Every structure is written in structure tokens, then in C-alpha cells.
Amino acid sequence: MNAPATVYPVAEDFAAQARVARADYERLYAESVQQPEAFWGRVAERLDWYRKPTRIKNVSYQLEDFRIRWYEDGELNASVNCLDRHLATRGDKTALLFEHDDPALPAEHVTYRELHARVCRLANALRALGVRKGDRITIYLPMIPEAVVAMLACARVGAIHSVVFGGFAPNSIADRVADCASKLIITADEGLRGGKKIPLKANVDAALKLPGTNSVETVLVVRHTGAAVDMQMPRDRWYEAVVEGQPDTCEPERMNAEDPLFILYTSGSTGKPKGVLHTTGGYLVYASYTHETVFDLREDDVYWCTADVGWVTGHSYIVYGPLVNGATALVFEGVPNYPNMSRFWEVIDRHQVTIFYTAPTAIRALMREGDEPVTRTSRRSLRLLGTVGEPINPEAWRWYYDVVGDARCPIVDTWWQTETGGILITPLAGAIDLKPGSATKPFFGVQPALVDANGAALEGAAEGNLVLLDSWPGQMRTVYGDHNRFIETYFKTYPGSYFTGDGCRRDADGYYWITGRVDDVINVSGHRIGTAEVESALVLHPKVAEAAVVGFPHDLKGQGIYAYVTLIAGESPSEELRKELVAWVRKEIGPIATPDHLQWAPGLPKTRSGKIMRRILRKIAENAPDQLGDTSTLADPSVVENLVNERLGK
Ligand code: 6R9
């Protein structure tokens, strides 16, 4: 099947002082799945609880008796765990190390004490504005310390935050605000990335003109670039003005472990993005425990995760995991290629970063620039590297290992999802030999299995769909406002287990190799886009009759977006219209959903019952017309011939 992969054995010097050494992994893993209550009860002691949980796990994936509850009688506050409990021992330690987009500006060091004070001031201001436990607050901010402050201030007063990535357009903001009936939005005048300005406040203004957004009473605006923005009084308030004069202590809300902490919208195979809901106790235990264990965290580490707080990686591994652990986390506003291709490595040298966690798409883009932008920097401070977001091709893995890490630093290829709250399949650098391209083995408590299309379990070396047989504390609890959709999406396909939506291979050593999504989700540069979302944006255009969207292999992005468009009768294709439609999707959803290819389709391949055959469209997009497979169920086979000819004609 596949040639045996090269193995990079655990470095013995790393293992000698690792948090989890070779001998520990099998033993702890066995305990974690055989006695989950004992194991996760012990792990939960890492948090500060008002009331320690005695009921650890209460889970059933059976549809008639469905429930997922962890630590259900425990009480705690997330911001207290991220801040207050460090004040005595780590008050002057840097919590956030903020590196501006512009490298000429000095980095800011926000200590745990300062961060605590800033969070408390905003939390008091939120209460003064009428925010109460359970209210939803939308955060639409750039990668600046206020984004972290805003999340923790919500947690302090028990409000549920919903962070919306700064690259989303007004329509996408409006959908997310409307879905959870957000009461307040925290944004900034503008964002800044690679020297380019992003009109955040103007986007919020446009979003709030759209239907369904009446729930918003207040918009807090952080002055970041200083640009002039429209302030609509009394709705819009300057952030600085509302926090000014607020006390720098704030009584935290006492939360049940199963009270919601946040909602994060993510794309699925159908319909609008889902509001993935995470709760407080289990999520914090899992995010902090995986962060400490997977990254082998030490007190003096300088830890840098390059994700944006608009994605789950930013939630778990910039904010909650590192801060619960009292770590120093670097927050970077900019992009890897500004002002030059060495930016990542220069930041690493400047701040003596020891742990670096980024996405394969960034690695591939930087690899294309050759070794020199890397090798002209030192990077001696690094000791551990990580990746997340999509499968990493072995070639990029080796470059990351040899060139970026100077063949000194283990790489943890971490597989997980917005839904999982934290890392589920990953190497532990002191315990598990590495194979480039494999996320290797399950983390403690995680029970992966492979099934075929009919749900039959596959044993040993095999390839199939990846499911998880039991719960872990960081698992999402529901789709906000639509519990049925939660159960339908994840627990109906293979009854009794959680379906990940990913395909996966397991080799003879029991290593897992994620092969990518098997549903209608496209993973573009590590960002999830539902084909249905792009299709509905396209058909909103007055000249479009029908659209079908698929993913196709893309050298840099992993997957690109390929759109087939049928125009309404009387309209004819033109280069101008093609550009207009591409720009239209950007405007409707945001730049991350920009189609890479748009092909005119006089007709789409459909079954006799009218179902679009995406399998065929994927093969045409991949330029593999010899692999179309069975086309006998098509209503009109000539449609396919036309599409293939047009594709080859390009
Ligand atoms: C954390 C995050 C989840 C999807 C997931 C899978 C892909 C993530 C991966 C990976 C292979 C890895 N994915 N990490 N594929 N190897 N190490 O990315 O969450 O944005 O929800 O995406 O990303 O396909 O199902 P999210």
C-alpha cells in the first residue's frame, strides 16, 4: 500500500526530562481509557475550583439516552483560573508578549498582574452596560491584547463570547450575531495585517444594517490605528472611555462546570455555520492539560502559536491553555511575509521563543522562498515545533524539521477540531517516535477507531472514516440553539460514536494518518469552508442559476475552492463576469472563501433524482478525467463530457 515511512526516534536527551517519557505513555493511556473517572478526576485538580467536582464523567452517546457532562457538580470561573491564581507567584511574569504588525514598534509585555487589572476593568464596564451571566457577546478584533482581555472579561462575568475572525465580511458577522442574539459587540477602528488596513468598525456598521441584528445594544470600539470611524450614539462607545475609572478588581461570577464558556462558529457540510458550544470545566481542564503535556511546557518557556483568536486554535492554545498554565504567550498581529520572508524567525530570535506552533500552509509558503530567509536567523532558542490545521506533507515536515528546527527540535503534528476543544491525536515528544506526515497516536482518554462506509469497524492496518468511541472533557456540548443538529451531524452516521468528518489511515504500528475531510467541507489553508456556503453566496447573484463547489488539491493552501457556475438563460459567460462572481463571494463571505477557479457549467452532472454528483466534479477539478468512475446513474452523461472538454481546454 504505502512505502514504510522514515521514523524519527524520540531524542533521548528530550525524553530524559520530558513530562511524559517513553515508559509513561502506554501506562497512562491505559489508565485513561480503563478508568476515565480516576484519571480525569486527578487531572481536574490542576484547576482552582470554588467547589471541587465529585461527579467526573456522565456520558452516553446512545441516541435515546444522549448526554455529555463532565465535572457536572463542580464550580469555577475561567478568568480566575487564567489570572487570579497566578498573582501570588507569577504576578510580574509576562502573560502576553505582544508583537505589532510593524516590527519597528516595540513589543509590549503584559504581566499577569496587568492583564488581571485590564480584564477586571472591562468586566466591570460590561456589567455597568447591563451584561449578565449567559448573555452573548461578539468579539470582532484584530490580534491585539484587547482580544484576550475581551474574552477573559466575558468569562469573568459569565457572558458567552463568540469571536468572529477579522477576515469575515459583514454578512458573515450578521449571521453570527443573529444566530446567538448577541447583545454587545467588541471591535476596533481598524485591523492591521502586513501593513494593510482592515475596516473592522465599518464592517460592523454594515453588518448591523442587515436583518436579524436588532439584539445588539452596544458596540465597544478599541482605538487601534486611530482611523476616523463613524460613531453612532448612543449605540457606539469608545472602549477606552468605558473602562476608564473602573476598579481593577471585579467579583467573578461563580459558574457551573457545564455552564457555557463560548460559542465559535464553524463550517459544516450543510447549511449555515454551526455555533459550536463549549462549556467551562471540561474545556479548561482539557485545553490546559493538553497544552502542558503536548508542548512539554516549562515555567520559563516563551510559547508562540501563530493562529488567530478567531479560530479554535487561538482559543485553546493562545488564550485558555497557556494562561491557565501561567505561561508566557506571544500574540502576533502580523503575517509571516511582512515586511519580509524572515519575519517569523526574526520574531523567534527577538523574543527567544522556545515553542513554536503554526500551520502547514504557512510552512509550505515559506519553504517556497528557499532556506536563506530562515538560515540567516539563529533560532537557537527553539526546542519544540508544532503544526495544526491540515495534513502536513512529508516534504514540508522535513523542511520544518531540518531547516527551521536545525534537526534539533521534535515536531508535534496535532490533529483536532473546533468541536474537540483540544488536541486529540498527537505525538508526545518524549514518548512517541515521529513519522513525517502522521499525527501518530491518541492523546490520553481518546479512543479513535476506523469504520467503513457501512459503519463496520476496521482492525489493524486499514483506511476508513475516523470516529471516536468515547468522550473527553473538551468535547463540544451542543450546536448553539440547535441540539438536534448536533446529534444529527456527529452521532447519527455511526451510532454509538462521534463522527469526525475526516478520513484516516492506520499503519501497522498503530499510527494515525489523517487523509482529509470526507464530507463537503473544504480545508483552505487550514480554514474550514462549507461548499454549501459558497454555493449559496453564488446563487444570490442575479445572473447565477445554479452553482456547485468542490475542493481540489492546491500546492500552498492544501485545498483550493473550485466553483462550477450555471448562468440563468440569456446570460453569457465573460471574463468580466467571472471576476465579478469571484469578488462577489469575497464580499458575501470574506476573503478566505475566494474561489480559486470558476468554471462555467452549461449543465451540472446530476443523478436522475436531481442530486449533484460532486465526486465527478471533484475529479474534473483535479484534472483527472480518466478517474470519473461510474457515470451510469447520470441523468445526462453529455454534461460531463462538456465540463471535461472545457477543463482540458484551459
Ligand atoms: C484545530 C482545527 C478541523 C479539521 C479537521 C481536519 C483538519 C486539523 C490536522 C488536520 C490533518 C492535522 N486538521 N489538524 N488534518 N492533520 N494535524 O484546525 O480545527 O478549524 O475545526 O478544523 O482540520 O480535517 O477535521 P478546525
Side-chain angles (χ1 to χ4, degrees), residues 125-142:
L126 292 176
R127 280 209 179 115
L129 289 163
V131 173
R132 295 292 172 262
K133 176 177 174 178
D135 286 346
R136 277 78 57 210
I137 292 188
T138 297
I139 299 175
Y140 183 66
L141 282 171

Side-chain angles (χ1 to χ4, degrees), residues 314-360:
H315 282 61
S316 301
Y317 299 114
I318 296 178
V319 183
Y320 289 110
L323 295 180
V324 166
N325 291 333
T328 295
L330 196 143
V331 171
F332 178 45
E333 184 184 15
V335 293
N337 58 356
Y338 176 84
N340 61 57
M341 288 294 170
S342 297
R343 185 68 191 273
F344 271 0
W345 328 122
E346 285 167 357
V347 171
I348 287 171
D349 284 353
R350 183 194 255 204
H351 299 296
Q352 295 294 292
V353 170
T354 56
I355 302 170
F356 180 66
Y357 189 33
T358 195

Side-chain angles (χ1 to χ4, degrees), residues 14 28 42 74 114 127 150 185 249 252 269 274 282 291 353 387 410 428 469 536 603 637-638:
F14 197 102
L28 284 169
R42 197 170 69 230
E114 285 161 18
R127 280 209 179 115
I185 300 182
T249 59
S269 20
K274 299 182 278 273
H291 177 256
V353 170
T387 71
L428 298 177
L469 301 178
S536 26
S638 72

Side-chain angles (χ1 to χ4, degrees), residues 79-157:
S79 81
V80 168
N81 276 281
C82 291
L83 302 167
D84 305 51
R85 68 182 189 136
H86 302 309
L87 294 181
T89 50
R90 299 185 176 109
D92 296 319
K93 181 175 177 177
T94 301
L96 303 179
L97 186 43
F98 175 56
E99 170 78 15
H100 290 266
D101 184 54
D102 178 356
L105 294 175
E108 282 165 41
H109 291 249
V110 184
T111 64
Y112 273 94
R113 201 181 323 283
E114 285 161 18
L115 188 59
H116 174 263
R118 284 166 73 169
V119 167
C120 287
R121 281 199 290 271
L122 178 60
N124 287 322
L126 292 176
R127 280 209 179 115
L129 289 163
V131 173
R132 295 292 172 262
K133 176 177 174 178
D135 286 346
R136 277 78 57 210
I137 292 188
T138 297
I139 299 175
Y140 183 66
L141 282 171
M143 279 293 290
I144 55 177
E146 282 80 3
V148 181
V149 172
M151 291 165 75
L152 296 179
C154 289
R156 192 143 194 112
V157 302

Side-chain angles (χ1 to χ4, degrees), residues 129 183-186 208 215-220 234-237:
L129 289 163
K183 188 165 175 179
L184 187 144
I185 300 182
I186 307 177
L208 294 186
S215 55
V216 175
E217 295 166 9
T218 310
V219 178
L220 296 185
R235 187 195 70 185
D236 299 347
R237 312 278 296 268

Side-chain angles (χ1 to χ4, degrees), residues 279-341:
T279 57
T280 309
Y283 172 80
L284 281 189
V285 167
Y286 199 76
S288 66
Y289 182 54
T290 48
H291 177 256
E292 180 182 273
T293 313
V294 173
F295 298 105
D296 194 55
L297 189 74
R298 309 279 144 184
E299 188 62 43
D300 52 2
D301 272 316
V302 177
Y303 163 87
W304 183 15
C305 164
T306 68
D308 190 285
V309 288
W311 309 116
V312 74
T313 306
H315 282 61
S316 301
Y317 299 114
I318 296 178
V319 183
Y320 289 110
L323 295 180
V324 166
N325 291 333
T328 295
L330 196 143
V331 171
F332 178 45
E333 184 184 15
V335 293
N337 58 356
Y338 176 84
N340 61 57
M341 288 294 170

Side-chain angles (χ1 to χ4, degrees), residues 266 311-313 357 360 387-392 413-419 425 439 500-502 514-517 523 526-528:
T266 191
W311 309 116
V312 74
T313 306
Y357 189 33
T387 71
V388 59
E390 45 173 329
I392 181 163
D413 171 355
T414 63
W415 174 85
W416 59 295
Q417 311 178 299
T418 305
E419 294 88 337
I425 303 183
T500 63
D502 278 320
I514 308 295
T515 53
R517 302 289 306 194
N523 190 328
H527 301 151
R528 284 164 64 166

